[in-house]
Amino acid sequence: MTTNALPLPPVVDTATWEHRLEALRAREKAATRELDAIAAERRRLPMVEMPDYTLEGEDGPVRLADVFEGKSQLIVYNHMWFDGKEWQCPGCTGLTSQYTRLKFLDNYDARFVVVTQGPIKEALAYRHRVGNRMSWYSTANSPFGTDVGAPPGGGFAVNVFLRDGDTVYRTWHTTGRGTEQLSHTFPLIDILPYGRQEEWQDSPDNWPQSPTYSGWANSQEIAAFYGPEADGS
């Protein structure tokens, strides 16, 4: 029998465990209701009209209104890009690697794409290298990225747009940890007994903790997991 070298939660009887779980579940349900209320407020946000931007796509220049491909709603992940770097932001690379099946958005009249400041040929080559399956566009020759909070050399962002004919409106924006709600990575890790194991988190004494980001896969690892040379497992 192998003994876990890590500290363990206390062992209790089933009734005690169920009591503690029920108390936690009450807080979880309250958080769910608060998220519902936040989503309701999001649906009531005003919006701002956008200029008629032109981006670069796989097949050449494309108007922002045409990036919707006939849909009325568009989610844009603004992927960080640093000129001359072989491997781009691991956080952006990891987050967008999750989205391999997006056809369900058709039922909601929506599309989800990546936009980056990188030149389109370099961006598409990077997408292939890391096994990303999303549609990518470049804003290297457009002020679009700067105008939506993702300037050259700057950070990442998520923006949502609504199209009415050829007119596009910006309806929502987030960055930083606000993007976690779009990911399944952290929700899965957060239900584990040891959680993210990052030193900023509130964990019991002696729980395994490491520097922030230390558990994240880097871009090379993501390419090995999902890129053209991956074994598919």
Side-chain angles (χ1 to χ4, degrees), residues 15 36 45 48 74 114 221 230:
D36 288 342
L45 280 176
V48 60
L74 178 70
V114 170
E221 290 172 325

Side-chain angles (χ1 to χ4, degrees), residues 89-222:
C89 169
C92 295
T93 303
L95 182 93
T96 58
S97 72
Q98 300 172 39
Y99 306 115
T100 59
R101 294 178 175 88
L102 291 167
K103 290 295 290 181
F104 70 91
L105 288 174
D106 289 352
N107 291 346
Y108 297 90
D109 194 24
R111 192 173 186 230
F112 186 11
V113 304
V114 170
V115 173
T116 187
Q117 293 284 358
I120 188 60
K121 289 185 178 179
E122 294 180 27
L124 293 175
Y126 185 72
R127 179 188 70 174
H128 175 73
R129 189 181 315 134
V130 299
N132 190 286
R133 300 184 184 181
M134 297 179 70
S135 296
W136 284 50
Y137 298 85
S138 170
T139 187
N141 300 311
S142 165
F144 174 77
T146 298
D147 292 350
V148 298
F156 60 95
V158 174
N159 285 279
V160 180
F161 303 93
L162 181 66
R163 182 182 63 86
D164 182 17
D166 285 338
T167 304
V168 175
Y169 300 91
R170 187 184 186 197
T171 64
W172 188 71
H173 166 265
T174 194
T175 189
R177 293 191 63 199
T179 61
E180 287 186 11
Q181 64 186 294
L182 309 180
S183 163
H184 64 246
T185 301
F186 294 119
L188 285 175
I189 296 170
D190 284 343
I191 63 172
L192 297 172
Y194 298 122
R196 303 186 198 186
Q197 303 177 41
E198 296 190 357
E199 58 192 5
W200 63 270
Q201 292 192 291
D202 181 359
S203 295
D205 291 342
N206 300 316
W207 238 234
Q209 288 186 296
S210 300
T212 303
Y213 310 129
S214 59
W216 295 22
N218 61 39
S219 298
Q220 296 97 313
E221 290 172 325
I222 292 165

